[in-house]
Amino acid sequence: MKDFLVNSGDLVISRNDLQLVSKGNLTAQKVRLNLGTNKGEWKLNPDLGINFKAILGQKHPNRDEILDTIRDGLRQVDESFRITEYTFGTKGRHMVVIFTATNDSGEVYQNTVGIAENSGNSESWLIRALADLVEVT
């Protein structure tokens, strides 16, 4: 199966042609788009996506609720997805979630939400969008 290649919410055009994506890259794109969509945001399919409120904006984030939310988003793409590794931590008002998921096809994906980066002499914590999914294998 093939679909249009999407980058940062835009269709990718090269040499006046729409670019296509297939196989594992298509699955990664579907997961990225699904986890980057707030449930109810897309009027044509209000069940698509995840509940961002379960992840962002909580004073005391619930580790299990976040895990369930991510799992729900993954399973909208492929019911066989299971989270094999999961790390959760907070620093001040910022949160870091790192997970690895696999499906029955053997595809492995890793996602980081919130990442510590050094900028100059001070450490800054950035909350990245869930859409920053990177295919590992």
Side-chain angles (χ1 to χ4, degrees), residues 10 13 16 19 23 31 40 47 52-53 65-66 70 75 80 82 96 111-112 125 129 133:
D10 295 323
I13 299 173
N16 294 324
Q19 298 302 295
K23 300 183 183 177
V31 171
D47 294 327
F52 281 8
K53 288 181 184 178
E65 185 178 3
I66 291 169
I70 292 169
R75 290 192 174 151
S80 71
R82 58 197 172 284
V96 176
N111 189 8
T112 302
W125 287 67
L133 189 73

Side-chain angles (χ1 to χ4, degrees), residues 23-130:
K23 300 183 183 177
N25 292 330
L26 177 58
T27 303
Q29 177 173 289
K30 286 180 180 180
V31 171
R32 186 173 51 251
L33 292 172
N34 218 4
L35 294 180
T37 302
N38 193 12
K39 189 172 270 190
E41 179 180 1
W42 194 39
K43 301 298 181 207
L44 296 175
N45 186 353
D47 294 327
L48 179 78
I50 61 172
N51 180 5
F52 281 8
K53 288 181 184 178
I55 297 172
L56 304 173
Q58 291 190 25
K59 191 171 185 174
H60 302 288
N62 182 318
R63 182 179 196 259
D64 293 332
E65 185 178 3
I66 291 169
L67 181 61
D68 288 342
T69 300
I70 292 169
R71 188 179 293 121
D72 178 53
L74 290 169
R75 290 192 174 151
Q76 288 177 31
V77 174
D78 184 342
E79 279 290 326
S80 71
F81 265 118
R82 58 197 172 284
I83 295 176
T84 57
E85 294 180 39
Y86 178 67
T87 304
F88 173 85
T90 59
K91 180 177 181 179
R93 296 180 58 194
H94 300 284
M95 173 181 64
V96 176
V97 178
I98 301 169
F99 73 88
T100 302
T102 60
N103 63 13
D104 287 348
S105 299
E107 296 166 316
V108 180
Y109 301 95
Q110 184 178 38
N111 189 8
T112 302
V113 182
I115 187 167
E117 293 183 0
N118 290 325
S119 59
N121 295 330
S122 64
E123 181 180 64
S124 63
W125 287 67
L126 304 174
I127 300 297
R128 293 193 317 188
L130 283 169

Side-chain angles (χ1 to χ4, degrees), residues 1-6 11 18-30 33:
M1 177 185 276
K2 292 184 179 185
D3 202 348
F4 296 116
L5 178 62
V6 177
L11 294 173
L18 285 168
Q19 298 302 295
L20 300 176
V21 63
S22 63
K23 300 183 183 177
N25 292 330
L26 177 58
T27 303
Q29 177 173 289
K30 286 180 180 180
L33 292 172

